[in-house]
């Protein structure tokens, strides 16, 4: 076989030719730039996250402080409510004892009225301590006394009984009574 060679024609090599898209020095510098930019972005993201976490922690500390103040505020409110409740409770107990005394007085008056006959009530002897025995002569005297009573002014009419003052209720042992120098009385519940 004979080969003809022309010096101006390029020779064909037996190896395949790979096209070089980038040369090695340019590709290394570009890779270094990309890695540097990536690391910078990562550092900026970390710094931003740290700032937001610090702000969040400081806000959390502020809220925690307010919650501690709220606990103290709640204790003050509970103490005030206990004081008010004790005051109302003592007033209700006093009112209850007064009402009970009034009911007992009314029941006693009703029992006395039921025990005394109507003729005894008409002749003005309703205040007598001894029971009245009704006989025919007593009824006749009572009818004559009613005509005399109608003619006279009502000077001998019985007065309603006076109110009895009752002692205040005994203090409740589960409450502590405190009196201030200005005369106010406070009650505090003892736990």
């Amino acid at each position: 076989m004979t080969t003809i060679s022309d010096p101006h024609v390029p020779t064909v090599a037996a190896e395949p030719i790979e096209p070089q898209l980038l040369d090695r020095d340019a590709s290394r510098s570009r890779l270094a730039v990309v890695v540097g930019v990536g690391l910078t972005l990562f550092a900026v993201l970390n710094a931003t996250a740290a700032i937001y976490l610090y702000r969040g922690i400081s806000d959390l500390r502020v809220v925690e402080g307010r919650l501690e103040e709220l606990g103290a505020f709640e204790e003050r409110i509970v103490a005030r409510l206990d004081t008010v409740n004790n005051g109302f409770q003592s007033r209700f107990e006093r009112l209850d004892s007064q009402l009970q005394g009034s009911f007992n007085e009314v029941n006693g008056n009703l029992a006395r009225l039921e025990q005394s006959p109507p003729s005894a009530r008409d002749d003005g002897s309703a205040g007598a301590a001894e029971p009245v025995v009704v006989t025919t002569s007593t009824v006749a005297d009572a009818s004559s006394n009613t005509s005399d009573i109608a003619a006279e002014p009502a000077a001998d009419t019985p007065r309603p009984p006076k109110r009895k003052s009752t002692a205040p209720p005994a203090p409740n042992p589960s409450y502590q009574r405190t009196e201030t120098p200005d005369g106010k009385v406070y009650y505090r519940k003892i736990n």
Side-chain angles (χ1 to χ4, degrees):
M1 182 171 264
T2 4
T3 34
I4 302 174
S5 68
D6 186 11
H8 299 291
V9 177
T11 58
V12 177
E15 302 177 12
I17 299 177
E18 296 179 12
Q20 290 186 353
L21 298 175
L22 298 174
D23 61 349
R24 289 183 186 236
D25 293 333
S27 67
R28 283 183 185 172
S29 65
R30 287 185 185 168
L31 180 64
V33 168
V34 169
V35 169
V37 168
L39 289 176
T40 305
L41 286 176
F42 185 70
V44 168
L45 286 175
N46 279 339
T48 305
I51 290 171
Y52 279 111
L53 284 176
Y54 179 75
R55 285 183 184 174
I57 289 172
S58 66
D59 289 344
L60 186 63
R61 286 181 183 156
V62 168
V63 168
E64 186 176 309
R66 287 184 182 175
L67 285 176
E68 288 175 3
E69 291 174 7
L70 185 63
F73 178 71
E74 180 183 2
E75 289 175 5
R76 288 193 309 257
I77 292 291
V78 166
R80 293 277 183 162
L81 285 176
D82 285 344
T83 302
V84 170
N85 287 341
N86 291 337
F88 279 124
Q89 183 179 4
S90 66
R91 287 183 183 178
F92 283 134
E93 288 173 355
R94 190 175 332 126
L95 181 64
D96 183 43
S97 64
Q98 289 175 351
L99 285 175
Q100 191 65 33
S102 297
F103 286 143
N104 290 339
E105 186 177 329
V106 168
N107 287 338
N109 289 341
L110 286 176
R112 259 189 276 135
L113 286 175
E114 288 175 356
Q115 289 177 355
S116 65
S119 62
R121 277 185 260 149
D122 289 340
D123 67 357
S125 62
E130 58 188 20
V132 179
V133 178
V134 179
T135 60
T136 56
S137 63
T138 311
V139 174
D141 290 339
S143 64
S144 65
N145 284 341
T146 56
S147 61
D148 294 336
I149 291 174
E152 294 178 4
D156 294 334
T157 58
R159 293 184 182 178
K162 293 182 180 178
R163 295 177 97 183
K164 296 178 185 177
S165 63
T166 59
N172 193 337
S174 63
Y175 293 96
Q176 178 184 6
R177 182 178 191 265
T178 306
E179 189 168 347
T180 59
D182 60 350
K184 294 182 181 178
V185 177
Y186 296 99
Y187 292 91
R188 185 179 64 161
K189 188 171 185 174
I190 300 172
N191 293 331

